[in-house]
Amino acid sequence: MLKNIPANMQGYKLMITEAPVMKTRTDKDTGEIRPVTDRQGVQQFVVSLFAKKRPVEGQFAEKGEEIKVTLTADPGEGFEEGTYVQLIDTTMSHWENEKDGKYSSGIWFRANGLTPA
C-alpha cells in the first residue's frame, strides 16, 4: 500500500471550512473519546479545507472538493473558517477497508502545519 507520498498542493487554493481542532477517536468498547497521537505521543490535529484548482487561462475551471487534513502539530491561532492557507510538507496515503463484505478505499492527507496564503 502506498504511504506518505509527497503532495504538491501549490496549484490549489485552500480555504478553511472547519477550523483546526484536536483529532480524537472514540473507543469502540468503552465509548471514551481519546486524543489521537502519533507513535512518539505527539497530539494530532485536523482541519477541513475546500481545495480548488487555481484557474489556468484558456482552460475550464474545475470544481473543488472538501478534504480533511491531519496536522502533525498544533497550527496555533489565526486559522479560522474562511482563511486561505497553504499546507507545509504535505503527504498523502492510500487506505482501504473491508467490513461485512463491503469494501471502501480512499486517500488521506497529512501536513506538518499551516501557513496563511
Side-chain angles (χ1 to χ4, degrees), residues 65-110:
E65 184 172 337
E66 187 173 46
I67 61 173
K68 286 194 177 207
V69 180
T70 297
L71 303 173
T72 60
D74 185 345
E77 299 294 319
F79 295 105
E80 304 302 324
E81 186 176 328
T83 303
Y84 284 90
V85 296
Q86 292 181 338
L87 296 169
I88 300 169
D89 297 329
T90 312
T91 60
M92 59 185 182
S93 296
H94 177 261
W95 64 269
E96 52 188 49
N97 188 23
E98 185 177 354
K99 184 176 180 180
D100 299 329
K102 294 181 181 179
Y103 177 80
S104 59
S105 67
I107 295 174
W108 57 262
F109 294 89
R110 174 177 282 158

Side-chain angles (χ1 to χ4, degrees), residues 8-92:
N8 181 351
M9 302 296 286
Q10 295 300 313
Y12 290 83
K13 291 191 291 184
L14 304 171
M15 184 183 72
I16 295 175
T17 57
E18 291 180 29
V21 294
M22 190 178 341
K23 190 170 184 176
T24 59
R25 186 167 290 132
T26 304
D27 185 291
K28 293 177 185 175
D29 296 326
T30 66
E32 180 184 0
I33 298 173
R34 297 182 181 167
V36 174
T37 59
D38 65 11
R39 290 185 175 137
Q40 289 76 37
V42 177
Q43 175 63 54
Q44 305 289 283
F45 293 79
V46 66
V47 63
S48 293
L49 304 172
F50 185 75
K52 184 170 172 120
K53 193 168 185 179
R54 293 183 188 278
V56 176
E57 190 173 329
Q59 292 184 2
F60 177 74
E62 296 181 21
K63 290 183 178 183
E65 184 172 337
E66 187 173 46
I67 61 173
K68 286 194 177 207
V69 180
T70 297
L71 303 173
T72 60
D74 185 345
E77 299 294 319
F79 295 105
E80 304 302 324
E81 186 176 328
T83 303
Y84 284 90
V85 296
Q86 292 181 338
L87 296 169
I88 300 169
D89 297 329
T90 312
T91 60
M92 59 185 182

